[in-house]
Amino acid sequence: MTARLTRRQLDCAGEGYDPVASRSASIGSDCYIEREFLEVEREQVFRRSWQFLCHEEKLREPGSYVTAAVADRSVVAVRGKDGALRAFYNVCKHRGHELLKGAGTTRLITCPYHAWVYALDGRLHRARRSELIENFDAQGIFLTPVQVEVFCHLVFVNLDPEAPPLAEQTEGLAREVTKYAPDIVDLTFAHRLTYTVRANWKAVVDNFLECYHCPVAHRDFVTLVEMDTYKVTTHGIWSSHMAKAGRVQNRAYGVGEASVTDHAVWYLWPNTTLMRYPGRGNFMVWRFVPVGPEETYEEFDFFFESAPPTESEMEAIRFIDEVLQPEDIGLVESVQRGMRTPAFERGRYLVDPGGSGLSEHAVHHFHGLVLDAYRRVDAS
C-alpha cells in the first residue's frame, strides 16, 4: 500500500518555504512528529536513495558478503567468484526466509530454513527434493537484484532499480573526497559508535548541517577548527563543510602529530555524512536511520591507517563520544520536545550570504529535497 499525505499535511509541510533561503520559513513541525510523513519518507526517500553499506575492504575477496537493513528491507552484497560485486534482496525465493546474517565469507548462499542453495551470482544452485514436483524451472529462479556501487572505495546500495548511479547524481563529490582523503582506499575499519536519539531523523540532519550553534553549544569543538575559514557549499544532493584546523592548542583532542590539517565534511542525501577530521589519516561515515517518527538510530564508523586505533585516535573518538555527541543529542532531543508543543510550528533560516559555517543555508537546501520527496506523492 502506497503511503499518502493529505492536502492539509502537504500544505502545512511547505507553508512559507521559499527557494531563496534568506526569505524562507522552515518546513513545518508536523513533518517531525506525524507517522504519515515517515511512511512517505521510507517510500520516496530511503527506498530511492543510495545507502552506505561498508568500506570496500569488507568485500574485496571472492565469497565475502555484508548484509544490512535498508528502509526496513534486508539486502546482501557479495563478491562473486568472477570478481563482480552484486547485491540482492536477502530473501529466499522459496518461502521468503532471510538468507545470510551479518558479514563473512561463503562459497554458496544456503537458506537456513529449507536449505535451498544459491550461487554467488544469485542463480538457484539446488533445491532439495524439487525433482518431486512438476513444472519446477530451477534455471529461471534468481535472487532479486539490488543496485550496488563502489563510490570513493565505499559501497552503497539502492533499492530503486531506476535510480541513476551515485557518481552521476553527485558530480564533483568524488573529486573533493579523493582530494582531501587520497588514502581512503588504504584505510581500515577500526571502531564504531552507536546511539539512539529521541528525535526525528530530520532534526538530527538539521543540526548537523549548520554550525550557527557551534560557538554556543560546542565550545571545545570550535577550538579544533578556525571558524573564520568555515565554508558551507550546497550542490544537487550533497553539501560540503570545510574549515582549516586550529592554529593554536585546542580543547578537543591532541593533534600535535597530525598529518591531516583540514576539517572536511560532506553531507550526502538523505542520511549519510562523510568526514575527515584533523589528526592522523582518517575517514568517518555517519548514518542517521529513522526508527520511528521521534526516534533515530545513529551509526558512526571510523576508518584509520591501522586497527585498533592508537591512543591519540581513541582520544578523538572519546571526544566525539563523551563530549560532542552528548551535546548534539541534548540539542536535538530538546528541539523534538519543542516540536510537540503548540508554541512552535516553523522558524526562519539565519543565512550568511558568504556561506560561512554560521549560516543555515544547508538546512534550507536539505528541506527543499525533503519537500520535493513529499510532492512526488502528490503527483503520483
Side-chain angles (χ1 to χ4, degrees):
M1 183 176 179
T2 302
R4 288 283 186 265
L5 294 173
T6 65
R7 172 51 57 186
R8 178 198 68 79
Q9 287 173 317
L10 282 167
D11 289 345
C12 288
E15 183 181 346
Y17 183 86
D18 191 284
V20 178
S22 60
R23 62 185 184 218
S24 179
S26 63
I27 59 176
S29 58
D30 287 353
C31 304
Y32 297 78
I33 300 167
E34 296 181 0
R35 180 166 292 277
E36 291 87 350
F37 286 99
L38 178 58
E39 294 307 314
V40 167
E41 289 158 4
R42 285 201 172 108
E43 285 189 7
Q44 299 296 327
V45 177
F46 291 95
R47 292 174 189 160
R48 294 188 174 198
S49 59
W50 289 96
Q51 295 290 306
F52 172 72
L53 186 63
C54 64
H55 191 288
E56 186 182 21
E57 68 167 352
K58 278 195 173 181
L59 291 166
R60 283 190 179 133
E61 299 303 318
S64 55
Y65 68 88
V66 173
T67 66
V70 176
D72 297 333
R73 295 179 177 178
S74 185
V75 301
V76 58
V78 59
R79 181 73 66 178
K81 295 177 182 177
D82 58 357
L85 182 62
R86 301 177 178 89
F88 308 98
Y89 281 97
N90 187 28
V91 175
C92 182
K93 288 296 187 175
H94 175 219
R95 295 275 292 280
H97 196 282
E98 291 178 335
L99 294 166
L100 295 168
K101 291 185 180 297
T105 58
T106 187
R107 291 176 55 252
L108 295 165
I109 300 172
T110 302
C111 180
Y113 195 7
H114 298 99
W116 278 35
V117 180
Y118 300 85
L120 300 183
D121 62 3
R123 62 185 173 82
L124 180 64
H125 179 68
R126 184 173 63 253
R128 291 172 50 247
R129 301 175 65 80
S130 60
E131 69 276 6
L132 301 178
I133 62 176
E134 299 179 20
N135 305 321
F136 185 78
D137 180 17
Q139 294 183 339
I141 298 177
F142 295 85
L143 299 178
T144 301
V146 169
Q147 284 208 74
V148 62
E149 183 174 342
V150 178
F151 179 81
C152 295
H153 304 286
L154 306 173
V155 180
F156 289 80
V157 292
N158 195 319
L159 301 184
D160 181 1
E162 304 301 322
L166 180 57
E168 180 181 310
Q169 292 187 45
T170 57
E171 183 179 359
L173 176 57
R175 184 169 59 250
E176 273 199 15
V177 171
T178 53
K179 173 186 173 183
Y180 284 93
D183 57 352
I184 188 172
V185 63
D186 299 316
L187 300 180
T188 188
F189 175 78
H191 198 78
R192 171 174 288 173
L193 296 173
T194 61
Y195 307 91
T196 297
V197 184
R198 294 186 298 274
N200 185 274
W201 72 277
K202 296 186 297 297
V204 179
V205 176
D206 291 348
N207 181 71
F208 175 85
L209 287 174
E210 50 89 1
C211 218
Y212 181 45
H213 70 281
C214 292
V216 179
H218 299 313
R219 296 189 178 182
D220 289 337
F221 171 79
V222 296
T223 68
L224 181 64
V225 300
E226 290 298 326
M227 289 299 294
D228 60 352
T229 69
Y230 206 124
K231 179 82 171 177
V232 178
T233 308
T234 60
H235 306 269
I237 63 165
W238 61 282
S239 56
S240 64
H241 307 250
M242 304 293 186
K244 289 292 183 183
R247 294 183 285 266
V248 297
Q249 186 64 31
N250 71 80
R251 297 195 304 269
Y253 59 87
V255 292
E257 299 179 358
S259 57
V260 177
T261 58
D262 292 293
H263 168 82
V265 176
W266 302 269
Y267 161 74
L268 174 61
W269 166 262
N271 63 325
T272 303
T273 65
L274 313 173
M275 308 183 193
R276 177 89 155 175
Y277 273 14
R280 201 165 69 118
N282 70 87
F283 203 80
M284 289 159 274
V285 182
W286 192 4
R287 295 190 306 136
F288 317 113
V289 181
V291 177
E294 300 186 79
E295 184 177 341
T296 301
Y297 170 75
E298 296 184 349
E299 198 167 77
F300 208 146
D301 285 351
F302 295 80
F303 304 92
F304 294 129
E305 294 175 15
S306 58
T310 65
E311 180 51 40
S312 62
E313 288 162 346
M314 282 306 305
E315 184 184 2
I317 291 171
R318 283 192 293 269
F319 168 69
I320 292 171
D321 187 38
E322 298 174 7
V323 179
L324 198 58
Q325 274 296 90
E327 289 171 347
D328 274 329
I329 290 172
L331 294 172
V332 297
E333 290 186 344
S334 177
V335 165
Q336 190 69 34
R337 291 191 294 271
M339 294 276 189
R340 292 199 300 266
T341 73
F344 183 84
E345 184 176 354
R346 68 191 72 247
R348 293 293 301 271
Y349 307 101
L350 269 293
V351 180
D352 174 2
S356 76
L358 300 179
S359 178
E360 295 180 311
H361 60 286
V363 183
H364 171 266
H365 171 252
F366 167 59
H367 288 177
L369 295 172
V370 171
L371 289 173
D372 286 345
Y374 294 163
R375 291 171 187 137
R376 282 199 297 268
V377 177
D378 193 39
S380 62

